[in-house]
Amino acid sequence: PVLPAQPVSDPPRSPFAKKISGSGIVEASTRNISIGSHVPGIVARVFVTVGKRVKPGDPLFVLDDRKQQAELAVKEAALKETKARLTRLKEAPRAEELPPALARVKEAEALVEDLRQQLRIAENIKDPRAISIEDLNKRRYAVEAAESRLVRAKADLKLLEAGAWKPDIEVAMADVARAKAEVDGTRVEMDRLTVCAPVEGDILQVNIRPGEYALSGQSSQPLILLGNLDKLHVRVDIDENDAWRF
């Protein structure tokens, strides 16, 4: 027969006359916090190791953000373009644009005066054989066309002096606000790629390394396990037969 082995040491004995026994664990006061990721992606860098103390907001790990960086550069360029367009509308008209417009008005006035003078000369001819009705009508139509061009030149000058139209400025301001919102949205997406500590505590486990793919949502194994060990809690399961004693 095989003789039973003797124990290395005697089992612990309670010094109390009345006692309740139960199995349990010692855990952090915050319990074990399983750190996950907002979005899935490749881990670019891990900032913590097991046993490191972290504070709320300290980065734990970051995902690859090259795609978001490229999108941010495009949207920042679009924002810069919309701001430049708005500035151009607000500063209109340019000082260099007024002299050419004034010159076109004066040119149109001179042309109208010249054509009117030629028309008066033609109308004052007494001999009907000296000028035909067709030529006389052409001179009258030329005066009307020149007067129309003068009106258009004056309207263009007035429009230029008035500056940008208020609704156009409002549309440009809306474009700037939309472009800025897109930039802010991309920056928020980039901030979500960096996972930070929610509470102060100690790093208990690190199950992720650079180059690995981090899944979002709940998983069987946490990416990082965090807990506050300043104050420990004891969790004990008491048998139902001894519950009344407790």
Side-chain angles (χ1 to χ4, degrees):
V2 179
L3 298 177
Q6 296 296 323
V8 178
S9 61
D10 293 335
R13 300 180 182 275
S14 173
F16 305 104
K18 298 180 179 180
K19 64 183 185 296
I20 300 176
S21 300
S23 60
I25 60 173
V26 179
E27 62 183 5
S29 59
T30 58
R31 309 214 23 201
N32 292 341
I33 302 176
S34 299
I35 303 297
S37 176
H38 301 287
V39 293
I42 301 297
V43 177
R45 185 178 177 187
V46 179
F47 301 100
V48 295
T49 56
V50 175
K52 183 177 180 179
R53 184 78 174 184
V54 294
K55 296 181 179 180
D58 288 348
L60 302 179
F61 64 91
V62 62
L63 303 180
D64 187 8
D65 61 349
R66 287 176 294 178
K67 179 181 178 181
Q68 287 74 13
Q69 289 283 1
E71 292 178 354
L72 178 62
V74 173
K75 293 180 179 179
E76 285 180 342
L79 175 60
K80 186 176 180 181
E81 180 184 357
T82 55
K83 287 183 176 179
R85 189 181 302 114
L86 176 61
T87 302
R88 183 180 63 184
L89 289 175
K90 288 183 175 180
E91 295 181 355
R94 293 171 51 189
E96 297 84 356
E97 294 176 344
L98 293 177
L102 288 171
R104 285 191 292 269
V105 171
K106 292 181 178 181
E107 180 184 3
E109 289 176 346
L111 181 60
V112 168
E113 187 61 30
D114 179 55
L115 293 175
R116 284 175 180 174
Q117 183 68 24
Q118 294 181 20
L119 178 61
R120 283 194 294 267
I121 293 173
E123 289 176 343
N124 291 332
I125 297 176
K126 302 300 182 181
D127 189 357
R129 296 174 298 177
I131 185 171
S132 64
I133 298 299
E134 183 180 358
D135 291 340
L136 189 60
N137 289 335
K138 284 183 178 180
R139 292 176 185 269
R140 289 171 181 169
Y141 296 150
V143 171
E144 293 178 0
E147 289 176 347
S148 299
R149 287 193 293 269
L150 175 60
V151 172
R152 185 179 63 182
K154 289 182 178 180
D156 291 341
L157 176 60
K158 186 177 180 180
L159 181 62
L160 189 62
E161 291 175 342
W165 194 28
K166 185 178 179 181
D168 289 340
I169 295 179
E170 293 177 352
V171 170
M173 293 176 65
D175 290 339
V176 171
R178 176 182 52 79
K180 187 176 184 301
E182 290 179 353
V183 170
D184 294 340
T186 303
R187 287 175 177 170
V188 170
E189 291 298 324
M190 292 180 61
D191 291 339
R192 295 179 66 198
L193 297 178
T194 301
V195 179
C196 300
V199 296
E200 183 177 0
D202 301 284
I203 302 299
L204 305 180
Q205 292 181 15
V206 177
N207 300 317
I208 194 70
R209 286 162 291 278
E212 293 183 346
Y213 188 81
L215 296 173
S216 61
Q218 187 176 4
S219 59
S220 59
Q221 185 181 37
L223 303 179
I224 290 180
L225 200 63
L226 174 66
N228 192 330
L229 301 181
D230 291 340
K231 184 179 181 181
L232 300 178
H233 288 179
V234 177
R235 186 206 303 267
V236 180
D237 294 327
I238 301 175
D239 187 88
E240 60 181 4
N241 295 322
D242 295 331
W244 67 274
R245 298 177 183 274
F246 178 75

